Amino acid sequence: MLARLAARVAREFDGSFDRILAVESRGFVLGAALAASTGLPLSLARKPGRLPGPVYEAGYELQYGHDRTELQKGTPWGCDGQAVVGLEEAWPGRSLRRGQG
């Protein structure tokens, strides 16, 4: 089932991304499966306050409010011009986001 879901996400975005950014913790499962099936690099983001050392922060809107996520500085997450698909939940179309790294 997870392999089929990862294949569906890959088809949905039709190769238009260069890296996968998985947000804690449900996004880690689908992100790992998508990275394995596409061969693309995977970066992991955590909820605020859970990573040691300096971090990058990003806020985003949810249908019921807003939230933040953090990525440890020094972690490769994408380069300028790379398209990044962000996975927060395990269901495509619900919370997939496209962004530029």
Side-chain angles (χ1 to χ4, degrees), residues 5 16 19 21-22 27 30 33 36 47 69 71 73 77 87 96:
L5 185 57
S16 62
R19 175 175 294 276
L21 177 65
L30 181 56
K47 300 288 182 181
T69 191
L71 188 66
K73 288 187 177 181
W77 64 276
L87 301 167
L96 293 176

Side-chain angles (χ1 to χ4, degrees), residues 4-17 34 37-38:
R4 288 194 318 255
L5 185 57
R8 178 179 170 193
V9 172
R11 278 193 313 273
E12 174 91 12
F13 285 89
D14 193 28
S16 62
F17 56 97
L34 184 58
S37 71
T38 61

Side-chain angles (χ1 to χ4, degrees), residues 1-7 9 20-38 42-45 86-92 96:
M1 183 173 144
L2 189 55
R4 288 194 318 255
L5 185 57
V9 172
I20 297 136
L21 177 65
V23 179
E24 176 181 351
S25 64
R26 292 172 290 208
F28 291 175
V29 175
L30 181 56
L34 184 58
S37 71
T38 61
L42 172 67
S43 296
L44 305 175
L87 301 167
E88 180 189 1
E89 301 280 343
W91 300 110
L96 293 176

Side-chain angles (χ1 to χ4, degrees), residues 31-73:
L34 184 58
S37 71
T38 61
L40 293 173
L42 172 67
S43 296
L44 305 175
R46 305 264 342 242
K47 300 288 182 181
R50 295 190 178 173
L51 291 171
V55 296
Y56 296 108
E57 294 182 13
Y60 56 95
E61 295 299 315
L62 300 166
Q63 64 189 107
Y64 52 85
H66 60 275
D67 205 351
R68 284 188 0 221
T69 191
E70 295 179 344
L71 188 66
Q72 193 167 24
K73 288 187 177 181

